[in-house]
Every structure is written in C-alpha cells, then in structure tokens.
Amino acid sequence: MKLDRLLRFLMPRGLLGRSLLIILLPLVILQGVALQVFYGSHLDVISRRLAGAVAGELSFVVELLQRDPSPENRAWVFREVAWRFDMALAFEAGATLGPTPDRATSLPLLPLEEDLARAMSERVGRPFDADWVTDPRSVIIRIQLPGGVLHAEAPRKRLFSGTLYYFTIWLLGTSALLFLVAALFMKNQVRAIRRLAGAAEAFGLGRDFGAIKPEGAAEVRQAAHAFNSMQERIRRFVAQRTEMLAGISHDLRTPLTRMRLALAVLPRTEEEEEDVAALTQDVEEMERMVAAYLAFARGEGGEQSRPADLAEIVRDVAQKARRDGAEVAVEAPGSLVLPLRQDALRRCLANLLDNARKHARRIAVAVTEAPREVAVAGERPAAGWAQVTVDDDGPGIPEAQREEAFRPFATLSAGGTGLGLAIARDIARAHGGDIVLEDSPLGGLRARVRLPV
C-alpha cells in the first residue's frame, strides 16, 4: 500500500505529464541498458587491453635495464622507447620510492586506475606508484629498481578511449531530441483537449463562445465535432421552447385581459361591488401566477453572460426592496466584477429579498469572495467563489424542509406560487453556482448564493 501511495504521489496528474512519462521512461531504460552494456563490457575490455599494453612495455624496459645497467645502454633504451612507444623515461640513481601518498581518484566512474594497477602488479612485479593527478595530460609511473627509481610519463590517450564521450553524447543528444519532439507533439494534442474542456465548462456556466475549432488527433476532432453538435441542438431546443412559451403567454394573457375589461365595464349594484372586486383580485392573481410560471419555464436562457459588478447589482436590488418597505442592510466591497447574466441575477436576488421581506422585519445582505472549498486533482485551480448571503430575522424554514422549498410549486406559506426559490436556484445553477439555505445569525433563515469567479 505504501508503494502504491508513493507511485500515486510521484505520478504526474495531467495528461501531458503522463504521456511524456510513458514516452520517456522506456527511452531512458533503453539508453541506460545500452550504456551499461557498453560500460560493463566494451569499455572494460578496452581499458584492460590499454593498461596491459603500457604495463607490458614498461616490463620490457625494466628487463632491458636489468640485463645491461650501463649508462650507454640506458640512453639507447630511453631513445628507442620515446620514439617507438611515445613514452618519456628518466632514471633517478640511488633514489627510493618510499610510501605511496594518498591522492584523490582522478576518474572515479571509470576503471582505468584499477586496471593499470592490476596490470603493473602482474607484468612488472616491482613496487610502483601511478600518479594520475599531477599532470593532466600524462600518467606518471615510478618503478623501484635495484639502483634507483625509473620515472615514466605515459600519455593519457594511451590508457583512455575517447569513444565513451562520443557514445554518452550520442545517447543524451538523441534522448533530448526525441523528448523534445514528443513534448511538442503531445503539447499540441493536450492543448486541443484543454480547449475542448474549457469550452464545455464555459457552456455549462452559460458563457457561450460559439463553436470550437476541431484540431488534434482524430479522436479529439471527433469529440470537438460532437460537442459542437450538442451545443447546436441545445441552442435549437432553447429557441424552440422560448418561441412556444411566447405563444402560450400570448394565448393565456389574452383571455385574462378580456376578463379584466369585462369586469371593469360590468354594470353592478352596490351589493355586487364586493363580488366584482373579489373576481378582479382573482384575475390579477391568475396573471401573476401565469407570469411566474412562464418565467420559471423560460429559465432566463436567452441572456448571455457579460462582465458585471456584482456589488453594484446587490446594492440596486436592495434599494428597490427598501422602496417596497423592507429594512435592508448591505455589506459589500466597492466592486466585484465577474461574468454574469445581469437581468437573471437581479431576478434571483429580488426573489430572495422578496421572500425575506414577506416573513421578516430586518434583512442583511453581504457580498464576499472566498476560495473554492474542494480542489479537483489534475485540474487547474479556479479563482474562487463570489458569495451573496441574505439573512433575515423571520421564522425560518425547518432544516428537514429546506430542500423541499426549492421544488417548483412547493409553497410553505399562503399566498405564494412556490416558484421564487425554484427560479432563484435555476438562475444560480445556470451561472455554475448554487443556492443553499442555512440558519441565520439574525435568528431566521440565511440564503447563500455562490457564483464562480
């Protein structure tokens, strides 16, 4: 379980990161295996052979000097070795080698020093000291002889093969090139998916940006075509429903208007005045209910989102509520601009304030901005939520009945149509937010409207 959690923590969240990991991981493994095969076999063989060749030449020199230690023979040997073996020799008569000093490893990742030490021990068989640090171009080898110390300077190129550098550069270069090509290709594919996801989210929030351009792989293009077709079908459905509701509105309002006119010109006695007034009130109630029903069914779907000042809208709606006799206190920042359907949101807030005005004496409205409560893994973090709270000191709604209050035509008080909260929630959700009912600090009900910024 711990390994599984560790892998989940290390695994990239996004599609781009995971796709590049799928491409890069086998590539790195392949190159690592190739480097190990070269490092473990070919380089070891070459290093042992080069070290064995230098150690064999020095063993041959030591043998010649022991057979004839005369200065003439020594000078001849040194000349021949410098010309034939590309190795500089010198003899320090009467010197002793002494203890070998501690030196840092010159090439810690390569087996060159160990291979040379092993070859010298096997072929020369005398005390020696190999200095890889003092001269960056040569390896200084000192060998203890009976009459002194033999100094030899062997070029590093005789002990080291430069093909390792070329092979490493080739591995890293090809890996970087393949990774760059894969990253550019996958970035284009993921960009098309992100654009599709952004368009779907915007369309769900009521921010219609039109059809998106299909691009990327065939499957991504197919998803884009399907999304564009879905948008068009939804727009066509909304348009047809709006036209149908406009016709229904006309058909329903016409007979109600005739009834109102008939009641207005109807001759009546003083005894019938009360009955006619009641009928007139019933007709007005029917007109109000028809308007509310049609507003709920219409869903405010024709309005487009545009940048608007939420704080200013709240202040305007609160001012209208004050003119209707409500006592409303507003606490809001100077400005809070976000994409809104202004008319729809005004209707949403007006419904909430109207409900609070009917059941309470004091109303408090506050506008705040808060971060999202839940972060979705793998998605870009959102800016946050804009919140509007409407508090009152009325009787409130029991917690068990709060969700029921949002159902269309469900009214918890006399004289209502049961559509105020339903319309308000419908508008909030069309913005990508929601409305919840809570206990108010004033002792009544709190309606919390959340809108994405």
mmCIF file of all heavy atoms in Angstrom, residues 79-113:
data_model
loop_
_atom_site.group_PDB
_atom_site.id
_atom_site.type_symbol
_atom_site.label_atom_id
_atom_site.label_comp_id
_atom_site.label_asym_id
_atom_site.label_seq_id
_atom_site.Cartn_x
_atom_site.Cartn_y
_atom_site.Cartn_z
ATOM 1 N N ARG A 79 65.946 6.356 -25.702
ATOM 2 C CA ARG A 79 65.662 6.932 -27.018
ATOM 3 C C ARG A 79 64.688 6.058 -27.803
ATOM 4 O O ARG A 79 63.749 6.552 -28.442
ATOM 5 C CB ARG A 79 66.963 7.115 -27.801
ATOM 6 C CG ARG A 79 67.842 8.229 -27.303
ATOM 7 C CD ARG A 79 68.920 8.561 -28.341
ATOM 8 N NE ARG A 79 69.718 7.400 -28.691
ATOM 9 C CZ ARG A 79 70.843 7.033 -28.061
ATOM 10 N NH1 ARG A 79 71.287 7.769 -27.029
ATOM 11 N NH2 ARG A 79 71.515 5.983 -28.457
ATOM 12 N N GLU A 80 64.912 4.766 -27.803
ATOM 13 C CA GLU A 80 64.051 3.858 -28.547
ATOM 14 C C GLU A 80 62.613 3.852 -27.997
ATOM 15 O O GLU A 80 61.634 3.846 -28.755
ATOM 16 C CB GLU A 80 64.626 2.436 -28.514
ATOM 17 C CG GLU A 80 65.934 2.284 -29.279
ATOM 18 C CD GLU A 80 65.738 2.515 -30.762
ATOM 19 O OE1 GLU A 80 64.695 2.077 -31.309
ATOM 20 O OE2 GLU A 80 66.623 3.169 -31.368
ATOM 21 N N VAL A 81 62.487 3.905 -26.681
ATOM 22 C CA VAL A 81 61.152 3.895 -26.080
ATOM 23 C C VAL A 81 60.402 5.203 -26.393
ATOM 24 O O VAL A 81 59.201 5.196 -26.679
ATOM 25 C CB VAL A 81 61.253 3.685 -24.552
ATOM 26 C CG1 VAL A 81 59.923 3.941 -23.868
ATOM 27 C CG2 VAL A 81 61.715 2.267 -24.251
ATOM 28 N N ALA A 82 61.098 6.348 -26.333
ATOM 29 C CA ALA A 82 60.452 7.621 -26.649
ATOM 30 C C ALA A 82 59.970 7.648 -28.093
ATOM 31 O O ALA A 82 58.914 8.238 -28.394
ATOM 32 C CB ALA A 82 61.432 8.771 -26.382
ATOM 33 N N TRP A 83 60.766 6.995 -29.018
ATOM 34 C CA TRP A 83 60.376 7.029 -30.431
ATOM 35 C C TRP A 83 59.314 5.995 -30.772
ATOM 36 O O TRP A 83 58.363 6.260 -31.483
ATOM 37 C CB TRP A 83 61.639 6.815 -31.298
ATOM 38 C CG TRP A 83 61.322 6.739 -32.758
ATOM 39 C CD1 TRP A 83 60.657 7.633 -33.498
ATOM 40 C CD2 TRP A 83 61.671 5.664 -33.638
ATOM 41 N NE1 TRP A 83 60.538 7.218 -34.810
ATOM 42 C CE2 TRP A 83 61.169 5.996 -34.914
ATOM 43 C CE3 TRP A 83 62.378 4.460 -33.469
ATOM 44 C CZ2 TRP A 83 61.345 5.155 -36.026
ATOM 45 C CZ3 TRP A 83 62.554 3.645 -34.585
ATOM 46 C CH2 TRP A 83 62.005 3.995 -35.842
ATOM 47 N N ARG A 84 59.488 4.776 -30.243
ATOM 48 C CA ARG A 84 58.605 3.676 -30.625
ATOM 49 C C ARG A 84 57.331 3.591 -29.757
ATOM 50 O O ARG A 84 56.285 3.198 -30.251
ATOM 51 C CB ARG A 84 59.365 2.345 -30.540
ATOM 52 C CG ARG A 84 60.565 2.297 -31.480
ATOM 53 C CD ARG A 84 61.290 0.975 -31.368
ATOM 54 N NE ARG A 84 62.506 0.965 -32.168
ATOM 55 C CZ ARG A 84 62.542 0.689 -33.487
ATOM 56 N NH1 ARG A 84 61.434 0.408 -34.136
ATOM 57 N NH2 ARG A 84 63.701 0.696 -34.137
ATOM 58 N N PHE A 85 57.431 3.923 -28.481
ATOM 59 C CA PHE A 85 56.282 3.755 -27.568
ATOM 60 C C PHE A 85 55.641 5.082 -27.139
ATOM 61 O O PHE A 85 54.680 5.064 -26.384
ATOM 62 C CB PHE A 85 56.716 2.999 -26.306
ATOM 63 C CG PHE A 85 57.180 1.604 -26.566
ATOM 64 C CD1 PHE A 85 58.038 0.972 -25.672
ATOM 65 C CD2 PHE A 85 56.785 0.916 -27.700
ATOM 66 C CE1 PHE A 85 58.475 -0.329 -25.901
ATOM 67 C CE2 PHE A 85 57.237 -0.380 -27.936
ATOM 68 C CZ PHE A 85 58.083 -1.004 -27.040
ATOM 69 N N ASP A 86 56.211 6.227 -27.576
ATOM 70 C CA ASP A 86 55.684 7.546 -27.201
ATOM 71 C C ASP A 86 55.601 7.669 -25.684
ATOM 72 O O ASP A 86 54.584 8.064 -25.111
ATOM 73 C CB ASP A 86 54.309 7.777 -27.833
ATOM 74 C CG ASP A 86 53.858 9.223 -27.703
ATOM 75 O OD1 ASP A 86 54.721 10.094 -27.500
ATOM 76 O OD2 ASP A 86 52.639 9.488 -27.765
ATOM 77 N N MET A 87 56.740 7.356 -25.017
ATOM 78 C CA MET A 87 56.775 7.368 -23.567
ATOM 79 C C MET A 87 58.103 7.968 -23.134
ATOM 80 O O MET A 87 59.167 7.535 -23.591
ATOM 81 C CB MET A 87 56.611 5.949 -23.019
ATOM 82 C CG MET A 87 56.406 5.876 -21.520
ATOM 83 S SD MET A 87 56.308 4.160 -20.950
ATOM 84 C CE MET A 87 54.965 3.522 -21.916
ATOM 85 N N ALA A 88 58.057 8.995 -22.285
ATOM 86 C CA ALA A 88 59.268 9.648 -21.783
ATOM 87 C C ALA A 88 59.757 8.933 -20.530
ATOM 88 O O ALA A 88 58.971 8.688 -19.603
ATOM 89 C CB ALA A 88 59.001 11.119 -21.486
ATOM 90 N N LEU A 89 61.100 8.606 -20.497
ATOM 91 C CA LEU A 89 61.687 7.882 -19.373
ATOM 92 C C LEU A 89 62.808 8.698 -18.768
ATOM 93 O O LEU A 89 63.501 9.482 -19.449
ATOM 94 C CB LEU A 89 62.226 6.530 -19.819
ATOM 95 C CG LEU A 89 61.206 5.540 -20.405
ATOM 96 C CD1 LEU A 89 61.908 4.279 -20.870
ATOM 97 C CD2 LEU A 89 60.148 5.206 -19.376
ATOM 98 N N ALA A 90 63.016 8.501 -17.484
ATOM 99 C CA ALA A 90 64.139 9.111 -16.758
ATOM 100 C C ALA A 90 64.507 8.184 -15.607
ATOM 101 O O ALA A 90 63.657 7.449 -15.077
ATOM 102 C CB ALA A 90 63.761 10.497 -16.243
ATOM 103 N N PHE A 91 65.814 8.230 -15.216
ATOM 104 C CA PHE A 91 66.277 7.345 -14.133
ATOM 105 C C PHE A 91 66.898 8.197 -13.063
ATOM 106 O O PHE A 91 67.783 9.045 -13.324
ATOM 107 C CB PHE A 91 67.280 6.324 -14.668
ATOM 108 C CG PHE A 91 67.716 5.338 -13.628
ATOM 109 C CD1 PHE A 91 66.879 4.321 -13.221
ATOM 110 C CD2 PHE A 91 68.984 5.451 -13.047
ATOM 111 C CE1 PHE A 91 67.296 3.402 -12.258
ATOM 112 C CE2 PHE A 91 69.392 4.541 -12.089
ATOM 113 C CZ PHE A 91 68.535 3.519 -11.691
ATOM 114 N N GLU A 92 66.457 8.008 -11.816
ATOM 115 C CA GLU A 92 66.986 8.721 -10.667
ATOM 116 C C GLU A 92 67.817 7.730 -9.864
ATOM 117 O O GLU A 92 67.279 6.884 -9.131
ATOM 118 C CB GLU A 92 65.847 9.300 -9.830
ATOM 119 C CG GLU A 92 66.314 10.168 -8.685
ATOM 120 C CD GLU A 92 65.151 10.740 -7.885
ATOM 121 O OE1 GLU A 92 63.975 10.477 -8.253
ATOM 122 O OE2 GLU A 92 65.390 11.454 -6.894
ATOM 123 N N ALA A 93 69.144 7.810 -10.029
ATOM 124 C CA ALA A 93 70.050 6.846 -9.402
ATOM 125 C C ALA A 93 70.068 7.039 -7.900
ATOM 126 O O ALA A 93 70.065 8.172 -7.395
ATOM 127 C CB ALA A 93 71.457 7.001 -9.977
ATOM 128 N N GLY A 94 70.109 5.931 -7.174
ATOM 129 C CA GLY A 94 70.226 5.954 -5.722
ATOM 130 C C GLY A 94 68.968 6.349 -4.988
ATOM 131 O O GLY A 94 68.970 6.419 -3.759
ATOM 132 N N ALA A 95 67.847 6.627 -5.688
ATOM 133 C CA ALA A 95 66.601 7.043 -5.029
ATOM 134 C C ALA A 95 65.772 5.838 -4.622
ATOM 135 O O ALA A 95 65.924 4.732 -5.154
ATOM 136 C CB ALA A 95 65.789 7.943 -5.949
ATOM 137 N N THR A 96 64.907 6.065 -3.658
ATOM 138 C CA THR A 96 63.968 5.029 -3.224
ATOM 139 C C THR A 96 62.550 5.545 -3.412
ATOM 140 O O THR A 96 62.283 6.749 -3.315
ATOM 141 C CB THR A 96 64.189 4.651 -1.753
ATOM 142 O OG1 THR A 96 64.072 5.812 -0.943
ATOM 143 C CG2 THR A 96 65.571 4.035 -1.568
ATOM 144 N N LEU A 97 61.627 4.632 -3.635
ATOM 145 C CA LEU A 97 60.243 5.011 -3.941
ATOM 146 C C LEU A 97 59.519 5.567 -2.726
ATOM 147 O O LEU A 97 58.794 6.558 -2.803
ATOM 148 C CB LEU A 97 59.489 3.793 -4.510
ATOM 149 C CG LEU A 97 58.135 4.082 -5.118
ATOM 150 C CD1 LEU A 97 58.261 5.037 -6.288
ATOM 151 C CD2 LEU A 97 57.461 2.790 -5.575
ATOM 152 N N GLY A 98 59.692 4.988 -1.585
ATOM 153 C CA GLY A 98 59.042 5.476 -0.380
ATOM 154 C C GLY A 98 57.555 5.102 -0.364
ATOM 155 O O GLY A 98 57.021 4.447 -1.267
ATOM 156 N N PRO A 99 56.858 5.522 0.693
ATOM 157 C CA PRO A 99 55.423 5.199 0.779
ATOM 158 C C PRO A 99 54.623 5.963 -0.280
ATOM 159 O O PRO A 99 54.943 7.092 -0.635
ATOM 160 C CB PRO A 99 55.041 5.656 2.191
ATOM 161 C CG PRO A 99 56.059 6.700 2.546
ATOM 162 C CD PRO A 99 57.340 6.303 1.863
ATOM 163 N N THR A 100 53.574 5.320 -0.746
ATOM 164 C CA THR A 100 52.716 5.930 -1.765
ATOM 165 C C THR A 100 51.800 6.966 -1.121
ATOM 166 O O THR A 100 51.080 6.649 -0.167
ATOM 167 C CB THR A 100 51.856 4.860 -2.457
ATOM 168 O OG1 THR A 100 52.722 3.880 -3.027
ATOM 169 C CG2 THR A 100 51.001 5.485 -3.545
ATOM 170 N N PRO A 101 51.833 8.227 -1.571
ATOM 171 C CA PRO A 101 50.964 9.260 -0.955
ATOM 172 C C PRO A 101 49.493 9.028 -1.328
ATOM 173 O O PRO A 101 49.177 8.421 -2.352
ATOM 174 C CB PRO A 101 51.506 10.566 -1.557
ATOM 175 C CG PRO A 101 52.101 10.165 -2.862
ATOM 176 C CD PRO A 101 52.673 8.779 -2.647
ATOM 177 N N ASP A 102 48.608 9.563 -0.462
ATOM 178 C CA ASP A 102 47.172 9.473 -0.737
ATOM 179 C C ASP A 102 46.775 10.535 -1.753
ATOM 180 O O ASP A 102 47.055 11.727 -1.570
ATOM 181 C CB ASP A 102 46.361 9.673 0.559
ATOM 182 C CG ASP A 102 46.585 8.532 1.536
ATOM 183 O OD1 ASP A 102 46.871 7.419 1.059
ATOM 184 O OD2 ASP A 102 46.465 8.782 2.749
ATOM 185 N N ARG A 103 46.128 10.120 -2.806
ATOM 186 C CA ARG A 103 45.681 11.042 -3.849
ATOM 187 C C ARG A 103 44.197 10.792 -4.116
ATOM 188 O O ARG A 103 43.701 9.673 -3.976
ATOM 189 C CB ARG A 103 46.454 10.846 -5.157
ATOM 190 C CG ARG A 103 47.945 11.031 -5.034
ATOM 191 C CD ARG A 103 48.590 10.965 -6.407
ATOM 192 N NE ARG A 103 50.053 11.006 -6.340
ATOM 193 C CZ ARG A 103 50.826 9.946 -6.298
ATOM 194 N NH1 ARG A 103 50.271 8.735 -6.327
ATOM 195 N NH2 ARG A 103 52.126 10.079 -6.237
ATOM 196 N N ALA A 104 43.529 11.868 -4.543
ATOM 197 C CA ALA A 104 42.128 11.723 -4.928
ATOM 198 C C ALA A 104 42.018 10.944 -6.240
ATOM 199 O O ALA A 104 42.923 10.989 -7.088
ATOM 200 C CB ALA A 104 41.477 13.103 -5.085
ATOM 201 N N THR A 105 40.911 10.250 -6.383
ATOM 202 C CA THR A 105 40.697 9.486 -7.608
ATOM 203 C C THR A 105 40.459 10.428 -8.773
ATOM 204 O O THR A 105 39.611 11.323 -8.704
ATOM 205 C CB THR A 105 39.501 8.544 -7.448
ATOM 206 O OG1 THR A 105 39.729 7.697 -6.319
ATOM 207 C CG2 THR A 105 39.320 7.673 -8.684
ATOM 208 N N SER A 106 41.212 10.253 -9.849
ATOM 209 C CA SER A 106 41.098 11.158 -10.993
ATOM 210 C C SER A 106 39.830 10.900 -11.802
ATOM 211 O O SER A 106 39.127 11.835 -12.191
ATOM 212 C CB SER A 106 42.326 11.007 -11.893
ATOM 213 O OG SER A 106 42.200 11.801 -13.047
ATOM 214 N N LEU A 107 39.523 9.637 -12.046
ATOM 215 C CA LEU A 107 38.338 9.267 -12.840
ATOM 216 C C LEU A 107 37.545 8.238 -12.051
ATOM 217 O O LEU A 107 37.690 7.026 -12.250
ATOM 218 C CB LEU A 107 38.765 8.703 -14.200
ATOM 219 C CG LEU A 107 39.580 9.660 -15.086
ATOM 220 C CD1 LEU A 107 40.147 8.919 -16.302
ATOM 221 C CD2 LEU A 107 38.717 10.811 -15.553
ATOM 222 N N PRO A 108 36.698 8.690 -11.106
ATOM 223 C CA PRO A 108 36.012 7.739 -10.214
ATOM 224 C C PRO A 108 35.015 6.837 -10.927
ATOM 225 O O PRO A 108 34.725 5.750 -10.437
ATOM 226 C CB PRO A 108 35.320 8.654 -9.197
ATOM 227 C CG PRO A 108 35.171 9.971 -9.896
ATOM 228 C CD PRO A 108 36.362 10.096 -10.803
ATOM 229 N N LEU A 109 34.456 7.266 -12.048
ATOM 230 C CA LEU A 109 33.445 6.457 -12.729
ATOM 231 C C LEU A 109 34.030 5.467 -13.721
ATOM 232 O O LEU A 109 33.293 4.659 -14.287
ATOM 233 C CB LEU A 109 32.452 7.381 -13.457
ATOM 234 C CG LEU A 109 31.674 8.355 -12.567
ATOM 235 C CD1 LEU A 109 30.746 9.218 -13.417
ATOM 236 C CD2 LEU A 109 30.879 7.598 -11.512
ATOM 237 N N LEU A 110 35.333 5.519 -13.941
ATOM 238 C CA LEU A 110 35.978 4.642 -14.926
ATOM 239 C C LEU A 110 36.955 3.701 -14.228
ATOM 240 O O LEU A 110 37.572 4.055 -13.214
ATOM 241 C CB LEU A 110 36.701 5.480 -15.981
ATOM 242 C CG LEU A 110 35.828 6.462 -16.772
ATOM 243 C CD1 LEU A 110 36.666 7.263 -17.745
ATOM 244 C CD2 LEU A 110 34.735 5.709 -17.525
ATOM 245 N N PRO A 111 37.166 2.504 -14.792
ATOM 246 C CA PRO A 111 38.043 1.505 -14.145
ATOM 247 C C PRO A 111 39.505 1.636 -14.554
ATOM 248 O O PRO A 111 40.270 0.671 -14.427
ATOM 249 C CB PRO A 111 37.443 0.187 -14.641
ATOM 250 C CG PRO A 111 36.953 0.498 -16.014
ATOM 251 C CD PRO A 111 36.472 1.936 -15.959
ATOM 252 N N LEU A 112 39.962 2.800 -15.040
ATOM 253 C CA LEU A 112 41.295 2.916 -15.623
ATOM 254 C C LEU A 112 42.386 2.714 -14.586
ATOM 255 O O LEU A 112 43.367 1.982 -14.826
ATOM 256 C CB LEU A 112 41.439 4.291 -16.292
ATOM 257 C CG LEU A 112 40.374 4.645 -17.326
ATOM 258 C CD1 LEU A 112 40.667 6.005 -17.943
ATOM 259 C CD2 LEU A 112 40.297 3.577 -18.412
ATOM 260 N N GLU A 113 42.284 3.362 -13.439
ATOM 261 C CA GLU A 113 43.326 3.281 -12.419
ATOM 262 C C GLU A 113 43.458 1.864 -11.880
ATOM 263 O O GLU A 113 44.580 1.357 -11.686
ATOM 264 C CB GLU A 113 43.026 4.274 -11.301
ATOM 265 C CG GLU A 113 43.000 5.722 -11.774
ATOM 266 C CD GLU A 113 42.778 6.700 -10.642
ATOM 267 O OE1 GLU A 113 43.085 6.348 -9.492
ATOM 268 O OE2 GLU A 113 42.311 7.820 -10.901
#
